[in-house]
Amino acid sequence: MPNWCTTGITFYSENEKSVQELYERLKEIYYGKPTQKNDFGHGWMGDYANSFYPEIGAEHIDCRGFIGYWDDGGLRRAGEYFAFSICTETAWDAKVGLWSRILSDFYPDIDMAYIAEENNCCYYLKWDETGLFYPMNYYVDMCYPLKDGGEEYIEDHGFSTMTEIYDWLDNNLPFQYEKKESADELDVEITSKLNDYKSDDLYCVIAKYDEIVPSEFDFTN
């Protein structure tokens, strides 16, 4: 049983017609008849692999996963761009190679941005050249103690800068800590303070997103 990586993906371009064509094509496949039997139903990424690359086939393309969320509201404006988004759940890691290849082969005037998270493997990636779609650079997930003895969660929260993280920590944590230069060092520092409470419920994840260009992901298995 794999760990599942959640990846938000945004397709965007100044060419509204081109983005609309991609939107309609992906939507047609999403709601269409499955290209082969699968365990995921609507949104299986293998249907996209088979539809765009029938000569290769889903079994040879890195596409184990499905679209868990579809932006069914149509296109939106983001600055000078027209855009829409999907969210995928994929085995172990972000599988954006298929989407990158589709764009380069069929829609070369469309770009993509993405952000991916798989907590169990401490896997945090993103790519957003515009800064419009996924401006956060740091991921924070934490269960921390309160001054009154209770506990509180901050889940899947994004911050743009370390300064923003420190401001949040200073306003919410009931203990003193040493500020660090990197997210990894800060994660170790806060975790060590939480361990002093000897509670199995308390935890800390502070990580910086690594930036990986979509074209660097594998397309085939």
Side-chain angles (χ1 to χ4, degrees):
M1 187 70 179
N3 292 332
W4 292 98
C5 176
T6 299
T7 306
I9 301 171
T10 298
F11 302 102
Y12 65 94
S13 174
E14 294 182 8
N15 187 333
E16 180 180 10
K17 180 180 178 181
S18 186
V19 180
Q20 187 68 45
E21 288 178 357
L22 175 62
Y23 177 84
E24 296 298 337
R25 180 65 173 133
L26 298 191
K27 183 176 180 180
E28 176 186 13
I29 296 172
Y30 185 89
Y31 290 109
K33 182 179 179 181
T35 57
Q36 67 185 68
K37 185 177 179 181
N38 68 85
D39 296 328
F40 298 109
H42 288 297
W44 177 49
M45 284 177 54
D47 284 332
Y48 294 91
N50 286 330
S51 296
F52 283 97
Y53 300 100
E55 72 283 2
I56 300 176
E59 64 272 19
H60 300 298
I61 295 174
D62 192 18
C63 61
R64 186 181 178 187
F66 63 98
I67 296 176
Y69 166 79
W70 173 265
D71 192 354
D72 221 1
L75 305 188
R76 67 182 189 275
R77 289 300 300 266
E80 68 269 37
Y81 303 108
F82 298 89
F84 71 94
S85 300
I86 63 174
C87 184
T88 64
E89 299 290 334
T90 53
W92 302 113
D93 54 18
K95 301 187 183 302
V96 300
L98 169 62
W99 308 110
S100 177
R101 182 70 171 268
I102 288 173
L103 295 186
S104 64
D105 287 347
F106 300 97
Y107 303 91
D109 57 348
I110 298 178
D111 291 307
M112 65 177 290
Y114 77 88
I115 191 164
E117 299 156 359
E118 201 295 284
N119 293 336
N120 291 326
C121 294
C122 299
Y123 180 91
Y124 307 100
L125 302 181
K126 64 170 283 188
W127 182 258
D128 182 7
E129 290 184 292
T130 69
L132 292 172
F133 305 107
Y134 307 108
M136 62 286 291
N137 295 309
Y138 297 91
Y139 174 90
V140 176
D141 184 15
M142 189 185 306
C143 178
Y144 58 95
L146 300 175
K147 293 180 181 179
D148 63 5
E151 297 174 350
E152 186 63 80
Y153 289 89
I154 174 173
E155 297 182 277
D156 303 337
H157 197 87
F159 292 91
S160 296
T161 66
M162 289 288 286
T163 299
E164 290 180 1
I165 297 177
Y166 288 131
D167 288 342
W168 184 88
L169 293 175
D170 291 343
N171 289 327
N172 289 275
L173 295 185
F175 53 79
Q176 297 295 314
Y177 66 93
E178 183 179 345
K179 294 183 178 180
K180 301 293 184 178
E181 293 186 2
S182 72
D184 289 342
E185 291 174 323
L186 182 59
D187 179 279
V188 172
E189 169 69 10
I190 300 301
T191 297
S192 69
K193 299 297 184 181
L194 295 179
N195 288 339
D196 292 340
Y197 285 81
K198 295 180 172 55
S199 170
D200 292 336
D201 295 327
L202 302 180
Y203 67 89
C204 172
V205 177
I206 301 175
K208 190 177 190 302
Y209 289 99
D210 292 323
E211 297 190 41
I212 306 295
V213 179
S215 60
E216 292 186 10
F217 284 82
D218 291 334
F219 169 62
T220 56
N221 292 321

